[in-house]
């Protein structure tokens, strides 16, 4: 993670009375978090850390961060550390970052899974300084160039195991969320992972699978481009998501994802059986039952 320190030419070091926030991972979420706080006029100084030197340079160029520092130095200067890397990297970094964290600093993570992440620091002597978080926001794009200031505004931030976080760390994390105009929701880590296997992780697998199905059948790329309507485009949009991000998510939440996939495959089989049998009434019945999603989502 260590890199040579870079400073923006317009930066004059840490501003008096500002909060130092060190963001590890300068992609869509980490970058948007930084831009959002800056856009809201928060008194913050953003320190960036990224193992990808090109990403680090791009984040500095786009003013996502005020400076780039090596991991250990960024943690030492931080009032808040944010882990915004893929979840496999978060899993490896969590204990180390807690070891290095200043006594009054808070550690937040933006991982899309929570069970394994919370478990790895369950008995850590500084567990109270950690706030396990998941911002419910994103796009199919990644990297610092994908970040934008309003990504998190009005969105939900889930906090898991808040009873295991110190009041000071929790309050600091909540204040940053409120600054961004986010809504807070609290739940156990196991409950989080079960729900998101269905409402997020499954939809990504479905989109990846649809993309593969069409690519295998339609060898002529022009046919895909010319004939794909808005329905196909919106359904397959998530297939453009980063495998480096989603592969570890599926692995860390594999039991719940496998259960969700089994249920989904069973529903697909019902549609196939009805179509094979030319049972239009059964197909309509399945679709009418699915229409109830409108009542929930509007």
């Amino acid at each position: 993670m260590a890199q040579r320190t870079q400073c923006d030419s317009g930066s004059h070091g840490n501003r008096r009375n500002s909060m130092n926030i060190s963001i590890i991972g300068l992609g869509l979420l980490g970058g948007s978090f930084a831009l959002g706080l800056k856009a809201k006029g928060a008194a913050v100084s953003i320190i960036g850390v990224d193992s990808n030197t090109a990403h680090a340079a791009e984040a500095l160029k786009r003013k996502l961060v005020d400076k780039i520092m090596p991991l250990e130095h960024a943690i030492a200067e931080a009032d808040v550390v944010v882990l915004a890397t893929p979840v496999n990297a978060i899993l490896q970094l969590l204990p180390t970052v807690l070891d290095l964290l200043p006594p009054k600093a808070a550690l937040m993570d933006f991982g899309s899974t929570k069970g394994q992440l919370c478990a790895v620091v369950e008995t850590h002597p500084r567990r109270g300084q950690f706030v396990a978080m998941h911002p419910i926001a994103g796009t199919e794009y990644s990297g610092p160039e994908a970040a934008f200031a309003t990504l998190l505004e009005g969105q939900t931030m889930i906090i898991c195991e808040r009873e295991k976080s110190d009041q000071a760390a929790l309050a600091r994390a909540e204040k940053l969320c409120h600054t961004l105009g986010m809504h807070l929701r609290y739940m156990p880590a196991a409950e989080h992972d079960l729900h998101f296997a269905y409402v997020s992780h499954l939809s990504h697998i479905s989109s990846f699978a649809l993309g593969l199905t069409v690519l295998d059948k339609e060898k002529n790329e022009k046919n895909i481009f010319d004939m794909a309507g808005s329905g196909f485009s919106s359904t397959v949009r998530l297939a453009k998501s980063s495998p480096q991000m989603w592969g570890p998510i599926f692995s860390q939440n594999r039991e719940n994802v496998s259960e969700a996939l089994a249920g989904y495959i069973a529903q697909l089989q019902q549609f196939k059986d009805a179509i094979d049998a030319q049972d239009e009434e059964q197909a309509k019945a399945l679709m009418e039952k699915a229409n109830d999603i409108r009542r929930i989502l509007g």
Side-chain angles (χ1 to χ4, degrees), residues 26-153:
L26 303 175
L28 174 66
L29 283 177
S32 295
F33 182 72
L35 288 176
L37 290 173
K38 287 171 176 283
K40 293 294 185 180
V44 296
S45 178
I46 307 293
I47 302 168
V49 180
D50 202 298
S51 59
N52 185 320
T53 55
H55 280 186
E58 186 69 18
L60 199 60
K61 174 185 173 184
R62 292 175 178 267
K63 300 189 183 300
L64 274 61
V65 298
D66 298 304
K67 54 187 170 183
I68 297 292
M69 298 182 72
L71 178 68
E72 294 81 0
H73 295 173
I75 296 171
E77 291 199 14
D79 299 303
V80 174
V81 175
V82 179
L83 293 177
T85 63
V87 292
N88 55 331
I90 294 176
L91 189 65
Q92 294 178 344
L93 283 167
L94 263 175
T96 300
V97 175
L98 271 179
D99 287 342
L100 298 171
L101 203 64
K104 294 184 179 181
L107 171 62
M108 301 158 45
D109 89 284
F110 285 170
S112 296
T113 61
K114 283 286 156 285
Q116 286 194 30
L117 302 185
C118 288
V120 78
V121 292
E122 174 72 25
T123 60
H124 196 286
R126 294 183 174 178
R127 170 63 182 86
Q129 292 177 256
F130 171 53
V131 185
M133 310 176 78
H134 179 195
I136 312 307
T139 72
E140 64 272 33
Y141 303 109
S142 58
E145 63 274 12
F148 58 99
T150 58
L151 175 68
L152 299 173
E153 186 172 349

Side-chain angles (χ1 to χ4, degrees), residues 85-91 112-113 116 201 242-254:
T85 63
V87 292
N88 55 331
I90 294 176
L91 189 65
S112 296
T113 61
Q116 286 194 30
H201 307 168
S242 167
Q244 287 68 38
M245 173 182 172
W246 282 97
I249 291 172
F250 299 152
S251 294
Q252 285 194 18
N253 202 22
R254 58 187 176 275

Side-chain angles (χ1 to χ4, degrees), residues 112-259:
S112 296
T113 61
K114 283 286 156 285
Q116 286 194 30
L117 302 185
C118 288
V120 78
V121 292
E122 174 72 25
T123 60
H124 196 286
R126 294 183 174 178
R127 170 63 182 86
Q129 292 177 256
F130 171 53
V131 185
M133 310 176 78
H134 179 195
I136 312 307
T139 72
E140 64 272 33
Y141 303 109
S142 58
E145 63 274 12
F148 58 99
T150 58
L151 175 68
L152 299 173
E153 186 172 349
Q155 303 302 317
T156 297
M157 179 73 85
I158 294 181
I159 297 179
C160 292
E161 299 189 355
R162 65 171 166 174
E163 71 282 356
K164 297 180 181 178
S165 298
D166 295 339
Q167 282 301 311
L170 182 62
R172 187 170 289 177
E174 290 173 332
K175 182 178 180 180
L176 289 170
C177 294
H178 287 142
T179 298
L180 292 170
M182 301 189 75
H183 309 291
L184 298 178
R185 185 170 177 186
Y186 307 88
M187 65 177 61
E191 182 180 329
H192 168 280
D193 287 0
L194 176 61
H195 290 327
F196 278 88
Y198 285 87
V199 300
S200 175
H201 307 168
L202 180 59
S203 60
H204 280 79
I205 293 175
S206 177
S207 189
F208 285 126
L210 176 59
L212 287 170
T213 302
V214 173
L215 288 170
D216 283 348
K217 183 66 176 178
E218 291 287 352
K219 301 303 182 185
N220 186 334
E221 293 182 9
K222 192 172 188 304
N223 284 343
I224 299 176
F225 183 83
D226 289 345
M227 299 181 192
S230 60
F232 174 79
S233 296
S234 61
T235 306
V236 82
R237 174 181 65 84
L238 296 176
K240 295 183 280 186
S241 300
S242 167
Q244 287 68 38
M245 173 182 172
W246 282 97
I249 291 172
F250 299 152
S251 294
Q252 285 194 18
N253 202 22
R254 58 187 176 275
E255 291 184 6
N256 291 320
V257 170
S258 181
E259 177 185 308

Side-chain angles (χ1 to χ4, degrees), residues 198 202 256-270:
Y198 285 87
L202 180 59
N256 291 320
V257 170
S258 181
E259 177 185 308
L261 271 173
Y264 186 51
I265 291 167
Q267 295 291 346
L268 289 174
Q269 188 63 51
Q270 286 193 65

